[in-house]
Amino acid sequence: MSAPLLEAIALRTWLDGSGGVVRALDGVDFSIRRGETFAIVGESGCGKSMTALTLARLLPETARIVDGTVRLDGDDLLALPEAAMRNVRGRRIAMIFQEPATSLNPVLTVGHQIGEVLARHLGLRGAAARRRAAELLDAVGIAESGRRLGEYPFQLSGGMKQRVMIALALAGEPDLLIADEPTTALDVTIQAQVLELLRDLQRRIGMAILLITHDLGIVAQMAHRVAVMYAGTIVEVADRDAFFRASQHPYSRKLFAALPGLQSRGAELAVIPGQVPPLIGEFAGCRFVDRCEHAFDRCRVEAPGWAEIAETHRVRCHLRSRERAGALEARPGAAAAALAPPETRPALLTLRDLEVHFPIRRGLLRRTVGHVRAVDGVSLELRPGRTLALVGESGCGKTTVGKSILQLVRPTAGSVAFDGVELTRLRGEALRRRRGDFQMIFQDPYGSLNPRMRVADILSEGMHALGVHGARATADQRIGELLAQVGLDAGARDRYPHEFSGGQRQRIAIARALAVSPRLIVCDEPTSALDVSVQAQILNLLARLQRETGVAYLFITHNLAVVEYLAHEVAVMYLGRIVERGTVDEVLTGPKHPYTQALLSAVPTIEGGREKIRLQGELPSAVTPPAGCHFHPRCPRAHARCRERYPGDTHVSPTHSVRCFLYEEEDGRAT
Amino acid sequence: MTLVPLWIDALVWLLVAVTAAYAWYARRQPHLAAPWRRVGQSGSGMAALVVLAAFAVVGLLDCVHYRPRLPAGPGGVPVYSVEVRSVLDALLAPLHARAERTYSAPLAIRAYARETVELSGGRLQRGYPRLQYAGVGRADEAARDRDVLLRSLAGAALGLVAWALAAVGWTALLARREGAGLGRMIGAIARGETAFAWRAVLLALLAIALVAGPVALLAREYHVLGTDKVGQDVLYLALKSIRTAIVIGTLTTLIMLPFAVLLGIAAGYFRGWVDDVVQYAYTTLNSIPSVLLIAAAVLMVQVYIDTHPDRFTAAVERADLRLLFLCIILGVTSWTGLARLLRGEALKLRELDYIQAAQAFGVRHGRIITRHILPNVMHIVLITVVLDFSGLVLAEAVLSYVGVGVDPSMNSFGTMINAARLEMAREPMVWWTLAAAFAFMFALVLAANLLADTVRDALDPRVRVGALAAAGGAK
């Protein structure tokens, strides 16, 4: 076997934290071969990004590489002076980051930014540089590359910006591309395009990719080899197939088990108790010991070394090094509990032709020159105690639907009937009195709690404002109950939000919503900012609360696996309108609308299997939606009629309806 | 004696009370106390705070006005003087009383200008006459130099002793509280190993003691910073000016804050027509030259004072009213900057999920503003207040120079500089008034800026003081 392209040996990077020195990387070894994709997976805070920054020596000021060697093609990168390192960055190692919006300089044109790299590393200038830049944009699949070169980043969409970032990274013809969560900020259909592009480029120019991600589905699609990182060190390295067939480390196995999906429906998801330990100070034993259900005495006193399972499969676990493997065999999963019977009570929430249009004002007199049709005629029904998932890409208006139900955003037309009361007509005190019935849980657990308020104050705010549990003593008691209900200990009440982890914060947010005993909770992507294991905890909690209190959820998400696990019904939204709705089984196993089909196929899954439908382009603007069916410019099955008018509702079954001409015709022929 | 309640004094003491209350409240709130603890760890910040505190003590002593009691009149009815004095006036009475006829250089024993003196024999002679109160009994300049040196050394020694006593006493107190030995505590402070920057505090105090000691001794016999045109001691003028500077710096902010905070947050939070009105208000206000507004307002107050002499029993009260109105008009013209900042911040905060959550609970707007928005913009307010302080001290100097500043009878750095304008053109040049004003203002503004820097860093969670560097150094 040839020498590896990049070799990292015993990397140790420390950084300044508020509580002392954090050993972000504590002995990281791996190697990457030419032309392969090496994936690092793990939860946030495990040091994945720190590894990437250490390799490129782009650490923040508070961090320092304490020890270790990075060898790129035999050159010791950590020994190079900074000036020589600048020739490595961009030329031999290129990076793309998570957030394409902030990775490009907003005041320079795309051509200028690519030109900079070309001039710096290849000495190309003038017409030659321009030609090469256009070629690069072509290579990353940007049409009309000549015109795009003169454009500024704000003129490009998110997916396009990430393509430009990739073009920038490719400009120096690097041997190694470090991709740090390259698609996390993108929608699934765009993510599928970008991943496809990366694979294609790798095939053509044979560069190695270090892919950092938290999504096992992406790993399954992209990686040749996989490393699992935990608490600043790598705990398992394996070939992709071996890893997905038989991962060995308890942590890796837990990551798989925590993934929600259809198979775990109705059952509790496996959770990893606790959280990643603080990386302050030395570890005596295994770092995972406190969260591992197979831990035994030796795990506490001795840090496990590498145990070889196969030539290319190594794991840091005492179970493997001492032939106690029997203990690790998977326990049979809990049998899927019977699903709740179909609900027949009258609808709790009914939306009829809900519209939210935001005016666009221009000029000195602020005249309205147009409307953003964020929500454009949405009708839904939600019964008590059920979960309706609202699925769609970002920008399709699903969050606006949620906020307009709570009257945080006032609908411009249509009706929101809650338990027979028309909310859109309520004002002031009348609306305030009803607010206890419907609450919201937000996406970002860091932004949804006031950092300057104690947990007790946060929880009592709603009770106080709505006048429930007036007396102080009962309110205190209620806070205790709420904390217990969401699985936090009573000591949490006097602490501030910053003392909690993301998952705990989300629990506090859930407790806050529960405080006023609502009958409907709008959950706006409550788990998308969380790690898989924490996501499992929150989903379990939500499912349990629904069983116990009979609360109904409107679950807004883009994560179809979560939908499969939690929802009873699904509505798929595209550009302000519902294109398909039905029960989970109907929609997810037999999707009718071409958009739903594409959305489902774009989700990277571990099993693979689903036939890929690649969508072209991105979500159009909600200011000037395409004429006719909004989806026709991207639809693989569009025909002339789709350009003329928006298709009506077609019922495929009593509970399953779709808005697409394909079925309207069938329907027409059938009758 | 009887206290004279001046408006300014009352407001200044109110401010002191509010600051003390905030400090007491913040001590008990961990999230409020933590950043201030970081301020306490910063050497330069604490040194600056000590210097500022020294200025503040002088200023506050000058903020207690009273009429001294005169020897009892007939029938034992207490009689009070018509002259209103402050505690600082009483302390500096000797300095004030020893007024020469005109200019004299710092530490001089003779006048600065040649005069014709009538000698005892009736003969006239042109020369530099002896000063009436400086260096009495010193035969000539050489004797003066010796005396100055001696007094400086004695003063320094006195300062050192006083400092040493205070330092050891304080260290002992600290040692007892920490339960450590005195020797170890001294060592820890000397090496700068205490969490709170005691070393910087003590060093700053030492510097102040080493300056104050000699000056105090010298001031008994000489005019340390010389005398001005009418023979007043410049050191006295400079010390009296501190009150004006501090009052302008703090009261103006106090007046500006309600405008800035209320209007800024309301504009950002409510948006719509409220936002439009507030924006038009501050855009309009900003487009009027502020000096013009200030001049107009000050002249109006002056006219009022001149037409109602019966309402003011003492000159101090007139000057006080004019200063108050100067603060008010400065406040009214200077709220726009902070309001603009707060409007932007409120616009950002109102979209945050926790505000939305509060709205979903039907929490009232007033409560959302006071509970959710205000605490989260406090750091901006604090930083702006401290930064504005130095700007306002300088603004007063400029306004007084232009002639629309404080009452001419009131001592301020601005009036000193205004006087220096003519003195600089004189031949030989009189430099010490300007130099004294410069030195005092420089120390005050520099200290305020250093403290503001520290406060800003401490309140910014992105700036971290290097624990790794310390660990690396220990390795």
Side-chain angles (χ1 to χ4, degrees), chain A residues 352-372:
Chain A
R352 283 278 162 268
D353 302 321
L354 185 72
E355 274 182 24
V356 183
H357 291 185
F358 297 109
I360 306 169
R361 295 178 200 276
R362 291 251 167 76
L364 192 62
L365 298 173
R366 325 286 295 148
R367 276 186 311 154
T368 306
V369 294
H371 284 97
V372 179

Side-chain angles (χ1 to χ4, degrees), chain A residues 54-279:
Chain A
T54 304
L55 293 184
R57 283 183 36 198
L58 286 171
L59 291 166
E61 258 180 52
T62 52
R64 254 189 358 179
I65 302 169
V66 179
D67 196 10
T69 318
V70 176
R71 227 173 258 131
L72 181 69
D73 247 351
D75 300 335
D76 186 353
L77 290 189
L78 300 187
L80 287 181
E82 180 57 28
M85 195 62 208
R86 279 202 290 274
N87 289 328
V88 173
R89 282 185 218 124
R91 183 75 180 93
R92 295 168 66 186
I93 298 181
M95 290 185 83
I96 49 179
F97 299 95
Q98 176 171 348
E99 191 52 75
T102 53
S103 305
L104 291 170
N105 186 337
V107 297
L108 296 180
T109 62
V110 168
H112 190 108
Q113 299 189 47
I114 299 179
E116 249 180 1
V117 183
L118 293 173
R120 173 76 180 79
H121 291 297
L122 303 177
L124 282 179
R125 274 167 223 284
R130 209 169 162 74
R131 212 165 35 244
R132 178 74 187 125
E135 280 171 25
L136 284 167
L137 287 192
D138 284 335
V140 295
I142 292 182
E144 298 181 76
S145 51
R147 183 169 64 82
R148 293 289 182 193
L149 283 180
E151 292 196 343
Y152 289 88
F154 74 87
Q155 292 167 295
L156 307 175
S157 64
M160 207 97 88
K161 277 184 209 151
Q162 196 61 300
R163 283 169 189 269
V164 171
M165 273 310 294
I166 295 173
L168 263 174
L170 293 180
E173 295 161 10
D175 299 325
L176 173 66
L177 177 69
I178 299 177
D180 187 356
E181 304 263 10
T183 58
T184 308
L186 305 176
D187 283 312
V188 271
T189 55
I190 314 299
Q191 164 173 303
Q193 292 170 9
V194 170
L195 293 180
E196 177 75 44
L197 170 66
L198 283 176
R199 256 200 312 265
D200 185 48
L201 288 169
Q202 185 176 41
R203 240 191 336 268
R204 275 191 289 161
I205 52 183
M207 67 181 169
I209 298 179
L210 172 62
L211 179 71
I212 291 172
T213 182
H214 65 276
D215 187 334
L216 288 171
I218 294 179
V219 175
Q221 280 192 10
M222 298 287 295
H224 299 113
R225 286 195 303 136
V226 184
V228 179
M229 206 159 175
Y230 184 75
T233 182
I234 290 178
V235 294
E236 181 166 5
V237 184
D239 283 344
R240 175 188 51 190
D241 293 338
F243 179 72
F244 283 98
R245 198 176 54 244
S247 59
Q248 297 297 328
H249 198 279
Y251 177 62
S252 320
R253 296 189 159 212
K254 278 287 189 186
L255 285 182
F256 282 111
L259 285 178
L262 206 50
Q263 67 285 353
S264 48
R265 208 177 150 75
E268 292 258 311
L269 291 172
V271 298
I272 311 182
Q275 38 184 300
V276 181
L279 303 178

Side-chain angles (χ1 to χ4, degrees), chain A residues 256-556:
Chain A
F256 282 111
L259 285 178
L262 206 50
Q263 67 285 353
S264 48
R265 208 177 150 75
E268 292 258 311
L269 291 172
V271 298
I272 311 182
Q275 38 184 300
V276 181
L279 303 178
I280 298 165
E282 299 265 356
F283 284 91
C286 174
R287 284 147 205 264
F288 190 57
V289 62
D290 290 329
R291 306 173 71 186
C292 183
E293 53 196 28
H294 306 293
F296 55 104
D297 298 343
R298 188 175 162 200
C299 300
R300 300 205 171 272
V301 292
E302 184 189 338
W306 283 115
E308 295 237 337
I309 308 293
E311 196 190 341
T312 55
H313 194 167
R314 294 187 299 165
V315 64
R316 274 186 199 269
C317 183
H318 287 311
L319 291 175
R320 283 300 156 191
S321 52
R322 231 184 57 167
E323 294 310 315
R324 272 176 67 137
L328 234 173
E329 288 324 313
R331 296 168 307 163
L339 288 180
E343 183 63 54
T344 50
R345 279 182 284 170
L348 178 69
L349 175 78
T350 313
L351 306 186
R352 283 278 162 268
D353 302 321
L354 185 72
E355 274 182 24
V356 183
H357 291 185
F358 297 109
I360 306 169
R361 295 178 200 276
R362 291 251 167 76
L364 192 62
L365 298 173
R366 325 286 295 148
R367 276 186 311 154
T368 306
V369 294
H371 284 97
V372 179
R373 297 158 186 270
V375 180
D376 199 17
V378 163
S379 302
L380 285 176
E381 270 181 13
L382 177 56
R383 291 176 199 285
R386 304 279 281 181
T387 302
L388 169 66
L390 195 56
V391 183
E393 292 176 280
S394 57
C396 74
K398 44 190 201 308
T399 297
T400 312
V401 170
K403 289 192 174 169
S404 61
I405 291 171
L406 271 73
Q407 306 299 312
L408 291 176
V409 174
R410 286 293 187 159
T412 40
S415 101
V416 179
F418 183 87
D419 207 10
V421 178
E422 180 57 44
L423 295 183
T424 51
R425 275 192 236 110
L426 293 185
R427 290 278 179 277
E429 200 53 44
L431 179 61
R432 190 195 308 280
R433 268 203 306 278
R434 299 216 61 103
R435 282 209 178 274
D437 282 341
F438 36 88
Q439 277 304 315
M440 190 153 180
I441 301 170
F442 297 89
Q443 172 174 0
D444 176 14
Y446 292 88
S448 66
L449 304 175
N450 186 345
R452 316 249 164 178
M453 277 164 79
R454 291 177 312 138
V455 170
D457 295 332
I458 290 172
L459 296 186
S460 62
E461 181 170 50
M463 295 191 254
H464 190 86
L466 297 174
V468 284
H469 305 290
R472 202 186 166 83
T474 48
D476 266 4
Q477 192 190 346
R478 176 84 179 124
I479 289 171
E481 285 169 20
L482 286 168
L483 288 175
Q485 212 171 2
V486 298
L488 291 172
D489 60 65
R493 75 168 64 207
D494 290 323
R495 288 156 68 194
Y496 287 87
H498 69 86
E499 298 171 54
F500 296 93
S501 68
Q504 287 171 322
R505 282 160 162 257
Q506 202 59 292
R507 284 168 192 268
I508 297 171
I510 293 172
R512 170 175 63 186
L514 287 177
V516 292
S517 320
R519 288 191 282 161
L520 165 72
I521 298 183
V522 175
C523 308
D524 187 4
E525 310 242 14
T527 60
S528 64
L530 304 175
D531 283 313
V532 200
S533 69
V534 184
Q535 165 175 293
Q537 296 171 11
I538 297 296
L539 291 178
N540 282 344
L541 173 64
L542 288 173
R544 180 166 61 79
L545 290 174
Q546 188 168 52
R547 281 196 303 276
E548 287 171 8
T549 63
V551 62
Y553 294 132
L554 178 69
F555 205 93
I556 297 169

